[in-house]
């Protein structure tokens, strides 16, 4: 009798495994929801929509973007972490919700255990920008200007206290010995709008969002957050060059799914991202959307050793590489940001 029962169990397991494999092969059978943790219009949102559009075309099913804002990105991230692991709910992840905010506040998810990496999509430095009416032309001049004011100046934190831009400003202020008042926004786009209007004098912003505004004379770029200058703005010095040696922090975005999502589904999406970022037409769409063109050079095969060196602090990971590479990047970034946050004693506001 025992052998008979064991035989039935093995048959049941085989049937279940076959059903799961078939489900993964036939996926997606209904619209897939892609949650973006921040407001529409910002760099993260734009990249997420480009990725979703590409997947819609590739799989013949709609990948619908939903901007689920609030809680500094926690609400959307928790929703995906708790969603069924069937490939029908995805997260457009970013540095802040995966590597930063879990280090400064309690969250209802473990980014390393509750979410599965699919593909890294974008890597870029941020830029310290100011309203062009400010007299400061360099970082030392900005530091002197802030210190000279009788009242504290404000700065914008696009995406809330757990965002990369806000944390970068907090770290910079501590390194510079400055005190400013943080004003949190639900996303980069509304924060940038207020800076251009003169309501907020300074903030960090992704370089792809800063460049069009700088070219139009609406903002002034003082420094990039990466250890070296950006190919997109070679005239803008790094913070490391302007009195902050060793300062090197960048932002990244990519797709993730609930942990336990079938490997076949994850691999299919990862393979499509790899094809997309080698497609000249898709790359052109990225360029028109303002995505850092360094991304294109990375995906061209990293033929230039200097480009490889520029990504050294990111573990040498390429965009749209295997999910395991993205997983290693997430683990490395989580450790790095956590170390920085602890050293600077940065807490959630």
């Amino acid at each position: 009798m025992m052998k008979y029962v064991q035989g039935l169990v093995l048959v049941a397991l085989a049937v279940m495994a076959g059903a799961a494999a078939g489900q993964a092969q036939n996926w997606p059978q209904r619209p897939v929801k892609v949650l973006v943790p921040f407001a529409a219009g910002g760099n993260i949102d734009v990249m997420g929509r480009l990725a979703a559009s590409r997947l819609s075309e590739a799989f013949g099913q709609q990948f619908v973007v939903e901007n689920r804002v609030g809680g500094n990105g926690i609400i959307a991230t928790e929703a995906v972490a708790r969603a069924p692991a069937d490939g029908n709910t995805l997260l457009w992840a970013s540095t802040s919700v995966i590597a930063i905010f879990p280090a400064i506040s309690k969250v209802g998810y473990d980014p390393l255990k509750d979410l599965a990496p699919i593909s890294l999509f974008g890597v870029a430095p941020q830029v310290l920008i100011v309203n062009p009416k400010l007299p400061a032309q360099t970082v030392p001049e900005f530091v002197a200007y802030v210190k000279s004011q009788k009242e504290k100046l404000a700065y914008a934190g696009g995406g809330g206290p757990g965002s990369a831009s806000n944390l970068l400003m907090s770290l910079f202020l501590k390194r510079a010995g400055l005190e400013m008042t943080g004003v949190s926004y639900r996303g980069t786009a509304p924060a940038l709008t207020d800076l251009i209007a003169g309501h907020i004098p300074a903030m960090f912003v992704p370089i792809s969002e800063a460049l069009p505004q700088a070219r139009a004379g609406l903002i002034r770029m003082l420094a990039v957050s990466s250890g070296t200058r950006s190919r997109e703005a070679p005239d803008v010095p790094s913070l490391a060059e302007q009195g902050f040696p060793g300062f090197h922090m960048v932002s990244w975005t990519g797709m993730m799914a609930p942990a336990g999502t079938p490997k076949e589904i994850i691999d299919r999406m990862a393979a499509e991202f790899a094809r997309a970022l080698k497609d000249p037409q898709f790359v052109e769409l990225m360029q028109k959307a303002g995505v850092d063109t360094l991304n294109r050079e990375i995906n061209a095969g990293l033929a230039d050793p200097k480009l490889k060196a520029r990504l050294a602090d990111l573990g040498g990971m390429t965009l749209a590489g295997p999910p395991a590479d993205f997983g290693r990047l997430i683990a490395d970034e989580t450790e790095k940001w956590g170390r920085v946050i602890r050293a600077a004693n940065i807490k959630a506001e």
Side-chain angles (χ1 to χ4, degrees):
M1 174 63 89
M2 182 61 68
K3 290 183 178 180
Y4 176 73
V5 173
Q6 290 175 340
L8 287 178
V9 171
L10 291 175
V11 170
L13 291 174
V15 170
M16 291 172 62
Q23 182 182 18
Q25 186 176 7
N26 294 328
W27 172 91
Q29 296 181 326
R30 59 186 174 87
V32 177
K33 186 180 296 184
V34 180
L35 298 190
V36 175
F38 303 111
N43 178 261
I44 293 175
D45 174 68
V46 170
M47 295 179 73
R49 291 178 184 277
L50 281 171
S53 177
R54 176 71 185 208
L55 293 177
S56 296
E57 295 176 5
F59 295 113
Q61 187 60 264
Q62 287 297 310
F63 283 68
V64 182
V65 171
E66 178 183 326
N67 295 93
R68 191 172 296 186
V69 300
N72 304 301
I74 292 177
I75 293 176
T77 308
E78 285 185 348
V80 176
R82 296 172 181 173
D86 55 10
N88 292 310
T89 304
L90 305 173
L91 174 70
W92 192 244
S94 66
T95 314
S96 57
V97 299
I98 300 300
I100 295 177
F101 206 77
I104 64 174
S105 181
K106 290 184 178 180
V107 298
Y109 59 91
D110 184 329
L112 300 179
K113 295 180 180 179
D114 298 332
L115 294 163
I118 297 174
S119 179
L120 177 65
F121 196 82
V123 177
Q126 295 213 15
V127 189
L128 175 60
I129 64 172
V130 296
N131 184 281
K133 292 183 180 179
L134 259 68
Q137 301 288 329
T138 66
V139 171
E141 290 179 3
F142 176 73
V143 172
Y145 176 76
V146 174
K147 289 182 176 179
S148 70
Q149 302 304 298
K150 294 181 180 179
E151 298 183 359
K152 286 184 181 180
L153 295 180
Y155 70 87
S163 69
S165 62
N166 205 3
L167 266 292
L168 277 171
M169 180 62 85
S170 295
L171 180 60
F172 165 71
L173 293 177
K174 287 183 179 294
R175 290 281 300 271
L178 298 177
E179 291 187 8
M180 297 179 71
T181 301
V183 179
S184 295
Y185 289 78
R186 299 183 77 183
T188 302
L192 187 56
T193 297
D194 268 8
L195 185 139
I196 292 172
H199 303 312
I200 296 290
M203 68 179 292
F204 275 94
V205 66
I207 190 169
S208 55
E209 295 187 54
L211 286 172
Q213 312 301 336
R215 290 166 182 158
L218 299 176
I219 64 170
R220 180 180 301 127
M221 299 189 294
L222 298 186
V224 294
S225 65
S226 52
T228 58
R229 299 191 184 199
S230 168
R231 292 169 66 94
E232 293 300 291
D235 294 333
V236 180
S238 67
L239 282 166
E241 293 178 72
Q242 300 185 75
F244 297 84
F247 201 109
H248 176 89
M249 305 299 286
V250 296
S251 298
W252 48 265
T253 56
M255 190 77 84
M256 301 187 76
T261 298
K263 183 177 183 299
E264 294 85 350
I265 292 177
I266 288 177
D267 288 345
R268 287 177 64 192
M269 282 189 281
E272 184 53 40
F273 279 129
R275 283 190 289 269
L277 293 177
K278 293 177 183 177
D279 179 349
Q281 292 183 341
F282 185 74
V283 167
E284 184 178 0
L285 286 176
M286 292 176 65
Q287 184 179 17
K288 288 181 179 179
V291 178
D292 191 342
T293 56
L294 172 60
N295 293 351
R296 302 199 309 278
E297 297 169 75
I298 294 171
N299 287 285
L302 282 171
D304 184 350
K306 292 182 180 179
L307 291 178
K308 287 185 180 179
R310 291 183 62 198
L311 289 181
D313 282 355
L314 288 173
M317 300 301 165
T318 60
L319 303 186
D325 281 2
F326 189 23
R328 285 191 291 271
L329 167 65
I330 290 171
D332 291 344
E333 284 284 281
T334 300
E335 192 279 330
K336 184 177 75 171
W337 278 98
R339 185 173 64 250
V340 169
I341 290 166
R342 290 190 297 271
N345 195 29
I346 297 172
K347 305 292 183 181
E349 296 176 0

